[in-house]
């Protein structure tokens, strides 16, 4: 598998698991334009590849991500306010496009939430399929304290934790730790320390290995269509996909293995 | 009250409570076509009957429901793949129609979740008005482990537990017990053992008995319209229904009883 | 700041915080037409005023609000049923208009939930940005027990606690206390007694004081647009607002203060 050349990300792949590490530890992995473009490129590269079963998203140096790094943008703006405003618009909007894409990735996306998980970093956390939070993580939306707004992440945060919790977090600028993140539905698991997080990740990947890659991709697409497509139309579509999955290689192998009380082919190593 | 003749369901009615028992214990109550059709028939039969206050859904032999029983379908498919695919489409889609109907039943639907509550069984659990889960129940979506997808139940599961929990359960094939089912919002109550479940059910039915059947049916219709009808239009409709309910026999009796500090007629036995 | 003349509300303003007290303690602050109109008037008066940072909503005499007071309406209805039905329709619908407006107030709305929080009172609680509940509060939807329906509040309750919890509360007429209200997502904090509630309120207001008024108003508008506006369109709009906020006085001051590691101007007292 060939990946785009990356400067702000570290990539490593093993056993169908791609680990993507945001690698700007001096900025607590705040995302600049290049990092956002690289994430887009990586997820585009694996879009049609079912050999990559899962993507693990994490940050280098003990932090997940401090949000958007607007420091570079400010320099550019000297002398041309309109151009600066346009550049900020594009930077912001482009981040939202990337999060929308990662949300819909056919792979299972697993986020490891350590240290700061702020603003855009929280947005990224909110579109993971499985999130493991360190007990000591600090998550929140600090935007309103800076006179700005959690713009591109709003829909993803509301989808994740509901409008009621989102109002409180955004309007008070509150930070939550790992346990509260689990209670709010940001994370699925809370662990304490690196070893415990690694163990939880291994357990998640083991269970993931028992499920069929194609069926998982289709299931994720279906779940994300709920509320976007009219109810009866969605159920018609779901029945199409059900018949398709049942008649696919995976469906035939999976139901056969079930009857024969053995592991299906994709789960042999799991 | 006359019910359709049933082979896969046991029906019993007492004091306005209809108990419907999925009765295929040798298959852990996995649903075949006939069972789905019978459920449709039973809920159609009581649709306009306000004397049936509640439907209790449960399974025979200690399990709620293991999902869809596709074993019979496979036999049929020998020699004609297209016909088999069409039959599976219809079986799947028909299940979704039934769940949609039960979701909108004017009666309060109470699910007793014991043993396995899997796939389509979880879908059925997710459209109950009140769910009581046994601590030892095992609930989940095993589809992706079989190479297939949780097709018709996706919208009901997402509506019940939210997209974030649904992603994890569906993509990892995880099972949850009664306590986690309550934490996730699948169930309202967790009990330990048959006697405790029966006591919780009795308590639920007692409170239900204090509410007015017609008002409950209208309230349920209203709650299920939220998000489907534009906000102002829904509030106009709600005001129509409010005025209608207030001027109905129930509304007159209920508000009068409140002023007179006595039980309304429908609650005399409660 | 000039407010409308109020008879059913007490108003007091200090340091940009407007406290609105429902003041019909003899009726446990049940809302009559006049009270609803006064709330509408107060929120209209502050709509374009960013000097009022927050509105604290509470009830006089230890109760938040017992719902709609329909007692006055019944007297009117003598001799003319159609006129009475029309009056009830208007009263009900007008309440829904007020709640819709308060939900969208540009200020942060903080509800203090003590004593009874019933019917329309629960509706009002459900549109607060931050809710603090007393452990001993009693919250619920008693409508169906009176033969009527929770008409105008249905969408706000479902948005707050989800369809599953709403079904149970509305159809069984159950009451919940402060702790359960927090578990269900009605309230953000539970406190025990007046002093603890006051302390929690002070803490909330202190954090609120660190955020920028204009950014908060825009953020709230954005959060409430989620699910109402198509996804890509919403993200385009969000990028417009982001660029606007960043170039505003608040955005310039806030990001500058961040770089200079000092409090922004609006937070100097916080």
């Amino acid at each position: 598998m060939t990946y785009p050349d990356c400067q702000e990300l570290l990539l490593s792949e093993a056993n169908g698991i791609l680990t993507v590490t945001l690698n700007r530890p001096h900025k607590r992995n705040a995302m600049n334009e290049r990092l956002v473009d690289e994430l887009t490129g990586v997820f585009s590269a694996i879009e049609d590849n079912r050999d990559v079963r899962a993507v693990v998203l994490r940050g280098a140096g003990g932090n997940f991500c401090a949000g958007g790094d607007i420091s570079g943008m400010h320099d550019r703006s000297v002398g041309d306010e309109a151009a600066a405003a346009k550049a900020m618009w594009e930077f912001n909007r482009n981040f939202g496009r990337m999060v929308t894409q990662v949300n819909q990735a056919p792979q299972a996306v697993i986020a490891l939430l350590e240290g700061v998980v702020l603003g855009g970093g929280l947005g990224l956390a909110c579109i993971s399929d499985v999130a493991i939070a360190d007990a000591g993580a600090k998550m929140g939306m600090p935007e309103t304290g800076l006179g700005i707004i959690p713009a591109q992440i709003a829909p993803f945060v509301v989808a994740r934790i509901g409008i009621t919790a989102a109002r409180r977090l955004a309007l008070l600028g509150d930070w939550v730790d790992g346990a509260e993140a689990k209670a709010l539905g940001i994370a699925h698991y809370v662990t304490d320390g690196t070893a415990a997080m690694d163990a939880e990740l291994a357990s998640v990947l083991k269970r993931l290995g028992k499920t069929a890659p194609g069926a998982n991709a289709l299931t994720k697409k279906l779940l994300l269509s709920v509320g976007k497509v009219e109810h009866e139309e969605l159920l018609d579509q779901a029945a199409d996909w059900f018949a398709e999955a049942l008649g696919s290689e995976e469906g035939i192998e999976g139901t056969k293995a079930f009857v024969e009380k053995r592991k299906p082919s994709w789960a042999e190593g799991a």
Side-chain angles (χ1 to χ4, degrees), chain A:
Chain A
M1 170 85 236
T2 339
Y3 293 105
D5 193 43
C6 288
Q7 181 178 305
E8 309 290 10
L9 301 176
L10 297 174
L11 305 180
S12 74
E13 193 189 330
N15 304 316
I17 312 300
L18 172 66
T19 299
V20 177
T21 305
L22 311 190
N23 191 32
R24 306 187 75 223
H26 56 296
K27 294 275 189 179
R28 299 187 302 173
N29 307 313
M31 294 177 274
N32 59 7
E33 284 180 293
R34 174 142 195 154
L35 188 150
V36 171
D37 288 344
E38 289 179 3
L39 276 173
T40 298
V42 168
F43 278 90
S44 295
I46 59 173
E47 192 173 348
D48 297 318
N49 187 332
R50 284 302 76 76
D51 292 338
V52 179
R53 292 288 334 259
V55 180
V56 176
L57 273 180
R58 65 190 316 168
N63 289 298
F64 182 67
C65 174
D69 181 3
I70 55 176
S71 61
M73 306 296 295
H74 275 303
D75 304 340
R76 265 210 228 163
S77 73
V78 178
D80 189 344
E81 271 185 47
K86 195 167 157 30
M88 290 314 299
W89 194 98
E90 285 296 342
F91 175 57
N92 187 256
R93 190 63 188 85
N94 208 33
F95 172 75
R97 283 190 201 102
M98 180 273 287
V99 177
T100 299
Q101 179 188 5
V102 175
N103 187 39
Q104 296 167 349
Q107 289 81 13
V109 174
I110 300 158
L112 302 184
L113 308 176
E114 305 166 279
V116 299
V117 184
L118 299 176
L122 182 65
L124 209 47
C126 283
I127 50 82
S128 60
D129 295 303
V130 180
I132 307 173
D134 186 64
K138 287 180 169 186
M139 314 196 195
M141 289 178 274
E143 287 87 348
T144 57
L146 301 173
I148 57 175
I149 65 171
Q152 299 295 306
I153 68 170
F156 304 103
V157 174
V158 171
R160 192 79 164 192
I161 65 176
I163 181 74
T164 305
R167 290 167 99 138
R168 194 262 289 186
L169 288 192
L171 301 186
L172 299 185
D174 279 355
W175 289 20
V176 299
D177 64 11
E180 193 170 355
K182 179 168 189 291
L184 292 175
I186 298 171
H188 297 86
Y189 305 98
V190 197
T191 53
D192 200 347
T194 305
M197 182 173 272
D198 287 348
E200 190 71 59
L201 175 61
S203 163
V204 164
L205 290 174
K206 191 177 167 64
R207 277 129 65 204
L208 183 70
K210 295 180 183 166
T211 63
N216 254 10
L218 206 50
T219 294
K220 191 167 164 182
K221 195 170 167 184
L222 175 60
L223 294 175
L224 289 168
S225 301
V226 175
K228 311 275 188 293
V229 179
E230 189 275 329
H231 181 74
E232 298 293 335
E233 196 185 320
L234 182 64
L235 291 187
D236 283 347
Q237 175 70 79
D240 291 351
W241 287 343
F242 178 77
E244 186 187 301
L246 195 68
S248 72
E249 257 182 65
E250 278 182 6
I252 292 167
E253 164 65 7
T255 49
K256 212 169 151 223
F258 180 73
V259 172
E260 296 169 4
K261 300 189 181 188
R262 60 167 176 83
K263 284 185 183 180
S265 55
W266 60 79
E268 271 156 24

